[in-house]
Amino acid sequence: MGEEILDAQAREKEVPKKQFMTFRCCNEIYGISLENVSEIIGLTQYTSIPETEDYIMGLINLRCKVIPVIDVRIRFGKEALEYNDRTSVIVIQVKETIIGLIVDGIEGVADICTDDILPPPSVSNLRAQSQKYVYGIGKVNSEVKLLLDPDKLIHDAEEEEYEEQEEE
C-alpha cells in the first residue's frame, strides 16, 4: 500500500503543469498562461481613442509605455459593467504586442496539469462569442477554468478591422 502512494506521488511529479493567471469575467473564471502575463495593475485613467472598436477602451501610460486596454467583457459581446475597486488590468505580452485586459476581478494563479486541459466542447451556442477565444478547459478539483488564447484575443481584432476595410 505504501508503494502505491509513492507511485501516485511520483506520477504526479512527472505530469507537466502549466501556470495560469485566473480572473473573473461575466460570472465565469478564465485563465491566461502566466508566460504571457507581465503584471497586474488597478484600473487607472485611460485616454479614449475615437473611431475604434467598442471594446477598446483607450490607452494608458504604464511607466512611459503607452499601451491599449480592452474590456474583456465587451470583447466577449457581454453587457458592460460599471468598474469598481475589484476591476483590474492584466497586462499581457503576445509576441511584440503589449496590451491591458480589463477584467472583473483577479482570482489568482492556478497550476493545471497538462493532462487536465481538455479541448472546448463543440456546442454551437455554448458561450458562442467568447468560445472562439477559448482553446481549452482546465479542470482544477471540482472547478473548470476557461483557458484563453491570448493571440486570438488580441489579433482577431486586427483581422476583423482588416476585413471591414476590405469590404468598403
Side-chain angles (χ1 to χ4, degrees):
M1 178 152 171
E3 288 178 20
E4 289 173 7
I5 293 172
L6 291 175
D7 285 344
Q9 289 172 343
R11 277 195 305 273
E12 188 174 301
K13 288 179 185 176
E14 290 173 19
V15 175
K17 291 183 179 184
K18 284 190 76 171
Q19 291 189 309
F20 294 88
M21 174 55 60
T22 59
F23 60 91
R24 189 166 292 284
C25 185
C26 312
N27 295 320
E28 300 288 347
I29 298 176
Y30 291 89
I32 194 160
S33 177
L34 210 53
E35 296 169 356
N36 296 104
V37 176
S38 300
E39 63 184 297
I40 297 168
I41 59 173
L43 182 62
T44 60
Q45 186 66 36
Y46 56 83
T47 303
S48 298
I49 310 167
E51 298 186 36
T52 57
E53 299 293 331
D54 59 345
Y55 59 85
I56 300 173
M57 302 315 292
L59 302 169
I60 61 172
N61 183 348
L62 183 64
R63 287 185 299 286
C64 299
K65 280 188 179 179
V66 176
I67 63 169
V69 289
I70 66 171
D71 189 315
V72 175
R73 178 180 281 277
I74 298 171
R75 181 74 169 124
F76 289 167
K78 303 294 183 186
E79 189 176 316
L81 278 186
E82 191 172 316
Y83 299 138
N84 59 39
D85 59 340
R86 291 197 35 93
T87 305
S88 301
V89 177
I90 302 174
V91 179
I92 64 168
Q93 181 164 356
V94 181
K95 298 175 185 148
E96 301 301 315
T97 306
I98 298 174
I99 195 164
L101 306 175
I102 300 173
V103 299
D104 297 349
I106 301 296
E107 289 291 310
V109 176
D111 291 327
I112 303 176
C113 294
T114 53
D115 290 352
D116 290 334
I117 299 175
L118 307 171
S122 57
V123 177
S124 61
N125 291 332
L126 178 67
R127 297 177 195 93
Q129 185 65 21
S130 62
Q131 193 67 27
K132 64 182 173 181
Y133 307 115
V134 174
Y135 81 88
I137 309 293
K139 297 186 303 180
V140 180
N141 301 323
S142 62
E143 296 180 347
V144 294
K145 317 259 188 228
L146 301 172
L147 306 178
L148 296 177
D149 181 334
D151 193 44
K152 285 184 182 174
L153 193 62
I154 293 173
H155 294 106
D156 190 49
E158 293 171 3
E159 289 171 20
E160 286 172 10
E161 280 180 35
Y162 180 74
E163 287 171 10
E164 286 173 11
Q165 289 174 358
E166 288 290 308
E167 289 173 7
E168 294 173 1

Coordinates of all heavy atoms in Angstrom, one line a residue, residues 38-39 41 44-49 56-70 89-93 96-102:
S38 N 2.5 40.1 -17.9 CA 3.6 40.9 -17.4 C 3.4 41.4 -16.0 O 4.3 41.3 -15.2 CB 3.8 42.1 -18.3 OG 4.1 41.7 -19.7
E39 N 2.2 41.9 -15.8 CA 1.9 42.4 -14.4 C 0.4 42.6 -14.3 O -0.4 42.5 -15.3 CB 2.6 43.6 -14.1 CG 2.3 44.8 -15.0 CD 3.1 46.0 -14.7 OE1 3.0 46.6 -13.6 OE2 3.9 46.4 -15.6
I41 N -2.4 45.4 -12.7 CA -2.5 46.7 -12.1 C -3.9 47.0 -11.8 O -4.8 46.4 -12.4 CB -1.8 47.8 -13.0 CG1 -2.5 47.9 -14.3 CG2 -0.3 47.6 -13.1 CD1 -2.0 49.0 -15.2
T44 N -6.5 52.3 -14.1 CA -6.2 53.7 -14.0 C -6.9 54.5 -15.1 O -7.6 53.9 -15.9 CB -4.6 53.9 -14.2 OG1 -4.3 53.4 -15.5 CG2 -3.8 53.2 -13.1
Q45 N -6.7 55.8 -15.0 CA -7.3 56.7 -16.0 C -6.8 56.3 -17.4 O -5.6 56.1 -17.6 CB -7.0 58.1 -15.7 CG -7.6 59.2 -16.6 CD -9.1 59.2 -16.4 OE1 -9.6 59.0 -15.3 NE2 -9.9 59.4 -17.4
Y46 N -7.7 56.2 -18.4 CA -7.3 55.9 -19.7 C -7.8 57.0 -20.6 O -8.7 57.7 -20.3 CB -7.7 54.5 -20.2 CG -9.2 54.3 -20.1 CD1 -10.1 54.7 -21.1 CD2 -9.7 53.6 -19.0 CE1 -11.4 54.5 -21.0 CE2 -11.1 53.4 -18.9 CZ -11.9 53.8 -19.9 OH -13.3 53.6 -19.8
T47 N -7.1 57.1 -21.8 CA -7.5 58.1 -22.8 C -8.2 57.4 -23.9 O -7.7 56.5 -24.5 CB -6.2 58.8 -23.4 OG1 -5.5 59.4 -22.3 CG2 -6.6 59.9 -24.4
S48 N -9.5 57.8 -24.1 CA -10.3 57.1 -25.2 C -9.7 57.4 -26.5 O -9.1 58.5 -26.8 CB -11.7 57.6 -25.1 OG -12.3 57.3 -23.9
I49 N -9.9 56.5 -27.5 CA -9.5 56.7 -28.8 C -10.7 56.7 -29.7 O -11.5 55.8 -29.7 CB -8.6 55.5 -29.3 CG1 -7.5 55.2 -28.3 CG2 -8.0 55.8 -30.7 CD1 -6.8 53.8 -28.6
I56 N -12.3 48.4 -27.2 CA -11.0 49.1 -27.0 C -11.3 50.4 -26.2 O -11.8 51.3 -26.7 CB -10.3 49.4 -28.3 CG1 -10.0 48.1 -29.1 CG2 -9.0 50.2 -28.1 CD1 -9.5 48.4 -30.5
M57 N -11.0 50.3 -24.9 CA -11.4 51.4 -24.0 C -10.5 52.6 -24.2 O -10.9 53.7 -24.0 CB -11.4 50.9 -22.6 CG -12.3 49.7 -22.3 SD -13.9 49.8 -23.1 CE -14.6 51.1 -22.1
G58 N -9.2 52.4 -24.6 CA -8.3 53.5 -24.7 C -6.9 53.2 -24.5 O -6.5 52.0 -24.6
L59 N -6.1 54.2 -24.1 CA -4.7 54.0 -23.9 C -4.4 54.4 -22.5 O -4.9 55.3 -21.9 CB -3.9 54.9 -24.9 CG -4.1 54.6 -26.3 CD1 -3.5 55.8 -27.2 CD2 -3.6 53.3 -26.8
I60 N -3.4 53.7 -21.9 CA -2.9 54.1 -20.6 C -1.4 54.2 -20.7 O -0.7 53.7 -21.6 CB -3.2 53.0 -19.4 CG1 -2.6 51.7 -19.8 CG2 -4.7 52.9 -19.2 CD1 -2.7 50.7 -18.6
N61 N -0.8 55.1 -19.8 CA 0.6 55.3 -19.7 C 1.1 54.4 -18.6 O 0.8 54.7 -17.4 CB 0.9 56.8 -19.5 CG 2.4 57.1 -19.5 OD1 3.2 56.2 -19.4 ND2 2.7 58.3 -19.5
L62 N 1.9 53.4 -18.9 CA 2.4 52.5 -17.9 C 4.0 52.6 -17.9 O 4.6 52.1 -18.8 CB 2.0 51.0 -18.2 CG 2.4 50.0 -17.2 CD1 1.8 50.2 -15.9 CD2 2.0 48.6 -17.7
R63 N 4.5 53.3 -17.0 CA 5.9 53.6 -16.9 C 6.5 54.0 -18.2 O 7.4 53.3 -18.8 CB 6.6 52.3 -16.3 CG 6.4 52.2 -14.8 CD 7.2 51.0 -14.2 NE 6.9 49.7 -14.8 CZ 5.8 49.0 -14.6 NH1 4.8 49.5 -13.8 NH2 5.6 47.9 -15.1
C64 N 6.0 55.0 -18.8 CA 6.4 55.6 -20.0 C 6.2 54.8 -21.3 O 6.7 55.1 -22.3 CB 7.9 56.0 -20.0 SG 8.2 57.2 -18.7
K65 N 5.4 53.8 -21.1 CA 4.9 53.0 -22.3 C 3.4 53.2 -22.4 O 2.7 53.1 -21.5 CB 5.2 51.5 -22.1 CG 6.6 51.1 -22.4 CD 6.7 49.5 -22.4 CE 8.1 49.1 -22.7 NZ 8.2 47.7 -22.7
V66 N 3.0 53.5 -23.7 CA 1.6 53.7 -23.9 C 1.1 52.4 -24.5 O 1.5 51.9 -25.5 CB 1.4 54.9 -24.9 CG1 -0.1 55.0 -25.3 CG2 1.9 56.2 -24.4
I67 N 0.1 51.9 -23.7 CA -0.5 50.6 -24.2 C -2.0 50.7 -24.2 O -2.7 51.4 -23.5 CB -0.1 49.4 -23.2 CG1 -0.6 49.6 -21.8 CG2 1.4 49.2 -23.2 CD1 -0.5 48.4 -20.9
P68 N -2.6 50.0 -25.2 CA -4.1 49.9 -25.3 C -4.6 49.0 -24.2 O -4.0 48.1 -23.8 CB -4.3 49.4 -26.7 CG -3.1 48.6 -27.0 CD -1.9 49.2 -26.3
V69 N -5.9 49.3 -23.8 CA -6.6 48.5 -22.9 C -7.9 48.1 -23.5 O -8.6 48.9 -24.1 CB -6.8 49.1 -21.5 CG1 -5.5 49.2 -20.7 CG2 -7.4 50.5 -21.6
I70 N -8.3 46.8 -23.4 CA -9.5 46.3 -23.9 C -10.4 45.8 -22.7 O -9.8 45.2 -21.8 CB -9.4 45.3 -25.0 CG1 -8.8 44.0 -24.5 CG2 -8.6 45.9 -26.2 CD1 -8.8 42.9 -25.5
V89 N -6.5 45.3 -14.3 CA -6.0 45.2 -15.7 C -4.8 44.2 -15.6 O -3.9 44.4 -14.9 CB -5.4 46.6 -16.2 CG1 -4.8 46.5 -17.5 CG2 -6.6 47.7 -16.2
I90 N -5.0 43.2 -16.5 CA -3.9 42.2 -16.6 C -3.1 42.7 -17.9 O -3.6 42.7 -19.0 CB -4.4 40.8 -16.8 CG1 -5.3 40.4 -15.6 CG2 -3.3 39.8 -17.0 CD1 -6.0 39.0 -15.8
V91 N -1.9 43.0 -17.6 CA -1.0 43.5 -18.8 C -0.3 42.2 -19.3 O 0.3 41.5 -18.6 CB 0.0 44.5 -18.3 CG1 0.9 44.9 -19.5 CG2 -0.6 45.7 -17.7
I92 N -0.6 41.9 -20.6 CA -0.1 40.7 -21.2 C 0.8 41.1 -22.4 O 0.7 42.2 -23.0 CB -1.2 39.8 -21.7 CG1 -2.0 40.4 -22.8 CG2 -2.0 39.3 -20.5 CD1 -2.9 39.3 -23.5
Q93 N 1.7 40.2 -22.8 CA 2.5 40.4 -23.9 C 2.4 39.1 -24.8 O 2.6 38.0 -24.3 CB 4.0 40.6 -23.6 CG 4.8 40.8 -24.8 CD 6.2 41.4 -24.5 OE1 6.5 41.8 -23.4 NE2 7.0 41.6 -25.5
E96 N 5.3 40.7 -30.0 CA 5.7 42.1 -29.7 C 4.6 43.0 -29.2 O 4.8 44.1 -29.0 CB 6.2 42.6 -31.1 CG 7.4 41.9 -31.7 CD 8.6 41.8 -30.7 OE1 9.0 42.8 -30.1 OE2 9.1 40.7 -30.6
T97 N 3.4 42.5 -29.1 CA 2.2 43.3 -28.7 C 2.0 43.2 -27.2 O 2.0 42.2 -26.6 CB 1.0 42.7 -29.4 OG1 1.2 42.7 -30.8 CG2 -0.2 43.6 -29.1
I98 N 1.9 44.4 -26.6 CA 1.6 44.6 -25.2 C 0.2 45.2 -25.1 O 0.0 46.2 -25.8 CB 2.7 45.4 -24.4 CG1 4.0 44.8 -24.5 CG2 2.2 45.6 -23.0 CD1 5.1 45.6 -23.9
I99 N -0.6 44.6 -24.3 CA -2.0 45.1 -24.2 C -2.5 44.9 -22.7 O -2.1 43.9 -22.1 CB -2.9 44.5 -25.2 CG1 -4.2 45.2 -25.4 CG2 -3.1 43.0 -24.9 CD1 -4.9 44.9 -26.7
G100 N -3.4 45.7 -22.3 CA -4.0 45.5 -21.0 C -5.5 44.9 -21.1 O -6.2 45.4 -22.0
L101 N -5.8 44.0 -20.3 CA -7.1 43.3 -20.3 C -7.8 43.8 -19.1 O -7.4 43.5 -18.0 CB -7.0 41.8 -20.4 CG -6.1 41.2 -21.5 CD1 -6.1 39.7 -21.3 CD2 -6.7 41.5 -22.8
I102 N -8.9 44.5 -19.3 CA -9.8 44.9 -18.1 C -10.7 43.8 -17.8 O -11.4 43.3 -18.6 CB -10.6 46.2 -18.5 CG1 -9.7 47.3 -18.8 CG2 -11.5 46.6 -17.3 CD1 -10.4 48.6 -19.3

